[in-house]
Amino acid sequence: MAGRIGAALRPLSPIVRRVGLIVLIGIVLAFFIYAVVDAWNATNGELPSVGRIVAAVGLWMVGLVCAGFAWAMLLGGGQRVEHGASLIVAQLGKYVPGGVFQASGQVALARSAGVSVRRGATAFSVLAVCQAVAGCTFLPLLAFAWPNPPGWVRAVLVVGGVASLALIDRRWMVWVLRKIPRTRDATEELVPAQAVIVRAWLASVVTLGLTTVAYLVLLNSYGRLHEPLWVVGAYAAAWTAGFVVIPIPSGLGIREAVLVALLHGAYPSSVLVATSVYLRLTTVAAEGLMALVASHWVRPARLATIRSRVDPAAPDGESPDA
C-alpha cells in the first residue's frame, strides 16, 4: 500500500519542486523590492551615483574572487578554478533563510569535482572560521578609531580581536574533528595545513576589507565622511555579527542594527541603514553577474569529466586525497 502511494506521489515531486522554487524566488524578490523602497524613503530618493555603484560592484567582484581563492586553497588539488567558481555560484544560497543552502551548494559542487563530502564539509567549516576571524581582525582598528568609547569597551575589542587569531590554529580544529566519529580516523588528512589556513584567513581579510571600502564609497554619497577608519571598523564588526547569526539570511537586520549602534551620532541612522541596503543590492548584482560567468566552470558535464579524471574508480565522489 505504501509503495502504491509513493508511486502515485512520485510524479508530483517535480511539480512541487518547481512551485517551491517559484515561491522562494517570489519571496526573495519581494524582500529586495521592499528593501529598495525603504532605502529610497530613508534617503529621500537620493541614490548613489552610477560611478559609485559601479565602483562598489567592482570592489565586491574582486573580493569575491579572493573568497573563491581561499576556498580553492582549502580544498587543494588541481581544480582550483572550478572550486573558486563553485563558491561564487553558491553565494546566492546565502540569501535563503536557514543558512544551509550556501554550504550545501559549495560542498555539493566540490563533490561533483571529485572532492569527498567529508573533505568539502571540513573545508567549508574552516573557511567559515577564517571569515569570522577576519571580521574580528578589524576590532582593534575599531577600538582605536572610535572616538572616546568607554575604556572597557576598547579593551574588550583589542583583546577580542587579538585572541580570535587563536581560532585559526590547526591544532584545535584537529582536536574537534577527533571528537566526531565519522571523521576521527581521517582527521590529519581532512584539515588543511596550517599555512593554507593562514592564507585563507588573509584572503578573507582582503575580501572583507574591500567590502568595507565599497560601503565607504556608497556612504560618501550622502556627505563628507567622518572618521573613515571608524566606519571601516564598525562595518567589519557589523558584518561579523550578521555572519555568525546563521539562521538569518546574510545577517539581514543584524548588520544594520550593529552599524547604527556603533556609529551613533556620526551619521543619521536612516543614512547608515539605507547605505547598507544599497550595498546589499550592489553585492547581489555583482554576485549574479559573477555567478553567470562562473557557471561555465561548474557545468555538470565539465565536473563529471574532472571527477572521472581525479578518480575513475570512485563513483561516490571520494577523491584519493580525502
Side-chain angles (χ1 to χ4, degrees), residues 248-312:
I248 307 298
S250 193
L252 176 62
I254 303 297
R255 188 180 307 171
E256 287 73 19
V258 175
L259 262 177
V260 170
L262 293 177
L263 295 175
H264 178 70
Y267 300 89
S269 300
S270 60
V271 170
L272 293 172
V273 173
T275 304
S276 180
V277 171
Y278 286 139
L279 180 60
R280 286 177 182 274
L281 298 173
T282 300
T283 56
V284 170
E287 288 166 358
L289 291 173
M290 292 286 283
L292 185 63
V293 175
S295 62
H296 167 75
W297 282 277
V298 294
R299 300 191 318 272
R302 180 186 180 92
L303 294 182
T305 301
I306 293 172
R307 180 174 169 181
S308 63
R309 187 172 65 244
V310 171
D311 187 7

Side-chain angles (χ1 to χ4, degrees), residues 59-316:
L59 286 166
W60 179 234
M61 283 182 170
V62 177
L64 203 53
V65 170
C66 292
F69 174 72
W71 175 242
M73 283 193 303
L74 291 174
L75 288 179
Q79 296 76 45
R80 298 199 173 185
V81 173
E82 288 77 15
H83 293 327
S86 70
L87 176 136
I88 293 172
V89 171
Q91 282 295 299
L92 300 180
K94 68 186 179 184
Y95 299 103
V96 180
V100 298
F101 292 95
Q102 180 187 2
S104 60
Q106 283 183 225
V107 174
L109 288 172
R111 183 181 185 277
S112 298
V115 177
S116 70
V117 173
R118 290 192 303 172
R119 188 177 186 86
T122 301
F124 183 87
S125 300
V126 173
L127 179 60
V129 171
C130 290
Q131 291 171 327
V133 174
C136 294
T137 305
F138 288 85
L139 293 181
L141 173 64
L142 173 61
F144 292 106
W146 191 349
N148 303 318
W152 68 270
V153 172
R154 179 168 289 169
V156 168
L157 292 174
V158 172
V159 173
V162 174
S164 69
L165 294 175
L167 295 176
I168 59 174
D169 190 324
R170 183 179 186 272
R171 290 171 294 184
W172 83 268
M173 299 180 185
V174 171
W175 179 83
V176 170
L177 282 184
R178 282 177 177 164
K179 303 298 181 181
I180 303 174
R182 294 190 63 182
T183 60
R184 183 177 300 152
D185 298 334
T187 300
E188 291 296 331
E189 292 77 15
L190 290 175
V191 181
Q194 183 65 67
V196 173
I197 296 173
V198 171
R199 288 197 291 270
W201 162 68
L202 289 173
S204 300
V205 170
V206 173
T207 297
L208 183 53
L210 291 170
T211 308
T212 62
V213 174
Y215 184 80
L216 282 174
V217 168
L218 296 178
L219 183 62
N220 200 31
S221 299
Y222 307 107
R224 190 177 68 84
L225 282 175
H226 306 288
E227 305 287 348
L229 293 181
W230 182 16
V231 176
V232 168
Y235 185 84
W239 180 92
T240 305
F243 178 76
V244 299
V245 182
I246 295 176
I248 307 298
S250 193
L252 176 62
I254 303 297
R255 188 180 307 171
E256 287 73 19
V258 175
L259 262 177
V260 170
L262 293 177
L263 295 175
H264 178 70
Y267 300 89
S269 300
S270 60
V271 170
L272 293 172
V273 173
T275 304
S276 180
V277 171
Y278 286 139
L279 180 60
R280 286 177 182 274
L281 298 173
T282 300
T283 56
V284 170
E287 288 166 358
L289 291 173
M290 292 286 283
L292 185 63
V293 175
S295 62
H296 167 75
W297 282 277
V298 294
R299 300 191 318 272
R302 180 186 180 92
L303 294 182
T305 301
I306 293 172
R307 180 174 169 181
S308 63
R309 187 172 65 244
V310 171
D311 187 7
D316 62 346

